[in-house]
Amino acid sequence: MSNNNKDLELGEVFNVKDKVALVTGGGSGIGLMCTQALAVNGAKVYIVGRTEEKLERVAETYGKDIKGEIIPIVGDVASKEGVKKIVSEIESREKCLCILINNAGIAAEKTETTAETAEQLKENLFDPTTVEEWTTIYATNVVGPYLLTTAFLPLLQKATEQIYGYSGTVINISSISGLVRISQGHFSYNSSKAATVHLNKMLAAEIQKSGLKIRINSIAPGVFPSEMTTQESKDNQKSEMPKDHKGGLPSQRPGNDRDMAGAILFAACNQYLNGQTIAVDGGYLIQAGT
């Protein structure tokens, strides 16, 4: 009597071998975690960023003696011309794109939200803010994922058509900052991440309505070490955050590379997951409230 045990082995359930992936902001932080999770397990991963030196360092440090590949592409995801260039580059090299990870993101300086008078709160929130701060953040965090996802639809659909039992997939890296009710001192960033969460939902709905078989999901990370949360990277493009920095969370620590790798492989490989935002946050949301 035959059974399907073989299909349920880890190597089959989370199989990204020979898949073609693209990760924006793949040179550090969460983008680098996503890149490693895929490349170490056999995927060919193109990493996009604005700084060639940073991307080359990632390929040099993490691209050797692994089952897959890490290939740097310098590009700008916040402009239509930049996105067209990135798509053309991948089209010239690959027949399809299996996994698109929209991870590139920026934030502004934090503002103080505690105040004792209306005048003081106005000084804290209104005075330091510029319209450019908001529009620049939206251009990268919201418009970029929209442009890349829609521009790559033909190549993503080709992955679905060419790989039996697999559908091309987009993973948008949003944030718990787009889900919590508090501003965390950055209204512009949190608003943009809430927009990313809703964009994810709309793209999933409209793409399936048009008959394409492309899965769109979002991962909303909590506190992970990155250039955004620690303001720096070391020589290996990794950021460090002491365990006690987030000791007050239910997890009693910040997130780590393995936490993100598990989430990315799940979203990339689970063919029944579509239109979802998954919070990987060490319990931040149950503590801070939505």
Side-chain angles (χ1 to χ4, degrees):
M1 221 168 145
S2 65
N3 66 48
N4 68 336
N5 285 351
K6 187 84 179 149
D7 295 341
L8 304 182
E9 289 178 0
L10 283 176
E12 290 300 318
V13 173
F14 297 108
N15 185 7
V16 291
K17 191 175 181 300
D18 300 325
K19 299 289 188 294
V20 178
L22 184 139
V23 181
T24 68
S28 63
I30 288 170
L32 176 51
M33 296 176 199
C34 299
T35 298
Q36 286 179 270
L38 296 171
V40 163
N41 289 292
K44 182 195 275 193
V45 186
Y46 291 92
I47 54 173
V48 175
R50 289 175 297 187
T51 315
E52 185 171 14
E53 183 193 356
K54 187 190 283 190
L55 300 175
E56 294 288 355
R57 196 180 302 142
V58 165
E60 179 71 20
T61 308
Y62 302 100
K64 291 177 177 167
D65 302 318
I66 58 172
K67 293 175 186 171
E69 291 177 75
I70 299 173
I71 304 159
I73 294 180
V74 177
D76 175 22
V77 303
S79 76
K80 200 165 181 181
E81 285 311 307
V83 168
K84 281 182 180 175
K85 266 188 175 170
I86 294 165
V87 174
S88 296
E89 185 74 22
I90 300 300
E91 274 177 342
S92 71
R93 300 179 185 215
E94 303 293 341
K95 293 188 176 73
C96 67
L97 180 66
C98 309
I99 303 160
L100 169 63
I101 300 180
N102 288 313
N103 164 74
I106 57 172
E109 292 290 314
K110 284 195 171 191
T111 52
E112 181 55 60
T113 55
T114 53
E116 292 179 2
T117 66
E119 285 75 19
Q120 193 184 351
L121 193 56
K122 180 215 164 202
E123 280 172 23
N124 289 350
L125 302 183
F126 179 80
D127 292 355
T129 300
T130 63
V131 171
E132 289 72 30
E133 173 199 316
W134 285 71
T135 54
T136 303
I137 286 170
Y138 266 70
T140 298
N141 295 3
V142 188
V143 184
Y146 174 79
L147 292 175
L148 275 157
T149 301
T150 52
F152 270 117
L153 286 175
L155 278 185
L156 288 162
Q157 180 63 16
K158 279 182 182 165
T160 302
E161 291 163 2
Q162 291 174 14
I163 304 167
Y164 178 76
Y166 185 85
S167 50
T169 188
V170 179
I171 304 168
N172 292 306
I173 305 297
S174 54
S175 172
I176 48 115
S177 294
L179 299 170
V180 287
R181 62 190 179 210
I182 52 175
S183 73
Q184 301 169 302
H186 33 55
F187 277 85
S188 53
Y189 176 77
N190 286 30
S191 298
S192 77
K193 287 301 183 178
T196 308
V197 169
H198 194 57
L199 173 67
N200 185 82
K201 193 183 291 185
M202 291 190 293
L203 285 169
E206 299 295 346
I207 287 168
Q208 67 82 30
K209 202 164 75 179
S210 66
L212 298 175
K213 199 179 172 194
I214 298 167
R215 299 182 301 107
I216 316 284
N217 292 292
S218 165
I219 290 173
V223 182
F224 280 77
S226 70
E227 289 181 354
M228 192 180 288
T229 53
T230 71
Q231 278 70 60
E232 62 179 4
S233 284
K234 297 185 297 180
D235 290 346
N236 63 356
Q237 287 304 118
K238 292 281 183 183
S239 301
E240 276 189 357
M241 187 180 284
K243 185 179 176 182
D244 60 5
H245 178 68
K246 283 294 165 184
L249 283 175
S251 62
Q252 299 178 5
R253 63 171 177 83
N256 63 34
D257 294 16
R258 288 184 304 281
D259 299 323
M260 188 50 58
I264 282 294
L265 291 171
F266 170 61
C269 297
N270 192 313
Q271 300 301 301
Y272 214 50
L273 188 75
N274 197 7
Q276 301 302 308
T277 292
I278 304 157
V280 183
D281 67 351
Y284 195 117
L285 289 181
I286 54 173
Q287 190 176 68
T290 56

